[in-house]
Amino acid sequence: MTQARLRDMRILIVEDEHMLGAALKDYLEGEEAVVIGPVARLSEALAIVTDGQPLDGAVIDVNLAGEKSHLLAEALRSLGIRCILTTGERCDMMPAELLDLLCLEKPFKFSALATALVA
């Protein structure tokens, strides 16, 4: 059961597909996480990170309306914040510098995402 482990974790959702972002938010809130977002724009997500909002993890779509979210993933990693990448493509197609981050190919099970956030 992931619920106790996700309780009060502050998770940033960066997803440009409105329905998926809303579903992720509902799921994580159901697991008692504190959800920031979802945000659909890279600039908005970067502002949240640079403003110093406390975060325990992030779920980031690799491609945000044509913008690659690699800078965001790098910024989160440099802060020691757990980052889970999601993509509609193959995970092995990620840039080499991001291959060490956990990547989930869409569609993925929300339970797998929850487990990855607390791993």
Side-chain angles (χ1 to χ4, degrees):
M1 181 168 150
T2 57
Q3 186 171 13
R5 295 182 290 171
L6 287 176
R7 183 175 294 132
D8 298 326
M9 284 185 68
R10 297 180 52 82
I11 309 296
L12 172 63
I13 298 174
V14 184
E15 174 59 63
D16 62 346
E17 293 178 39
H18 177 74
M19 291 184 69
L20 179 54
L24 284 168
K25 178 180 173 121
D26 288 346
Y27 176 80
L28 292 172
E29 286 180 340
E31 295 289 316
E32 299 185 23
V34 177
V35 175
I36 295 91
V39 297
R41 299 175 59 115
L42 182 59
S43 60
E44 191 178 350
L46 285 167
I48 289 168
V49 173
T50 58
D51 284 347
Q53 283 197 36
L55 296 171
D56 299 303
V59 180
I60 303 172
D61 185 0
V62 171
N63 186 356
L64 298 169
E67 281 188 291
K68 300 294 183 188
S69 57
H70 305 137
L71 286 175
L72 177 61
E74 290 287 344
L76 289 165
R77 179 170 40 196
S78 73
L79 295 169
I81 297 170
R82 184 150 187 81
C83 181
I84 312 298
L85 301 175
T86 64
T87 183
E89 301 173 12
R90 292 186 0 227
C91 287
D92 61 1
M93 301 298 290
M94 302 292 295
E97 63 271 13
L98 298 178
L99 285 175
D100 64 315
L101 294 176
L102 181 60
C103 178
L104 298 174
E105 294 177 6
K106 297 176 183 177
F108 54 86
K109 293 184 179 187
F110 288 1
S111 59
L113 173 68
T115 299
L117 284 166
V118 296

